[in-house]
Amino acid sequence: MANQRKQDKSWAEIDKWLEEDPFGLDEEVEIILFKCLDCNGTDEVPEYIIGEFSLDKKRGEEVELHCPHCNGTMIRARNIPSD
Ligand SMILES: [Zn+2]
């Protein structure tokens, strides 16, 4: 009986742990706006995608994505001086 009770307790703890959202799945995903250097098209990219691309980059190096509109080069829009 003691073992059974202990198991129930641990399940309760797991439920609590899950309710606390340990993986942050309910957090709003940050969206980064990318702008194409070639066609000026824009694309909204989730921050975690950028993070994956950043793994191949040196510190401070710009993440570049392929433009879905013209297959050109997209960089973070905030890095482009506004005109
Ligand atoms: Zn483009």
Side-chain angles (χ1 to χ4, degrees), residues 45-79:
V45 185
E47 199 276 336
Y48 65 88
I49 300 287
I50 312 302
E52 289 188 12
F53 278 93
S54 299
L55 294 178
D56 296 333
K57 297 288 182 181
K58 298 188 183 84
R59 186 184 294 268
E61 198 173 357
E62 209 44 62
V63 174
E64 296 177 353
L65 302 179
H66 284 291
C67 173
H69 309 291
C70 74
N71 212 29
T73 303
M74 301 190 99
I75 65 169
R76 286 190 190 214
R78 73 176 185 196
N79 290 323

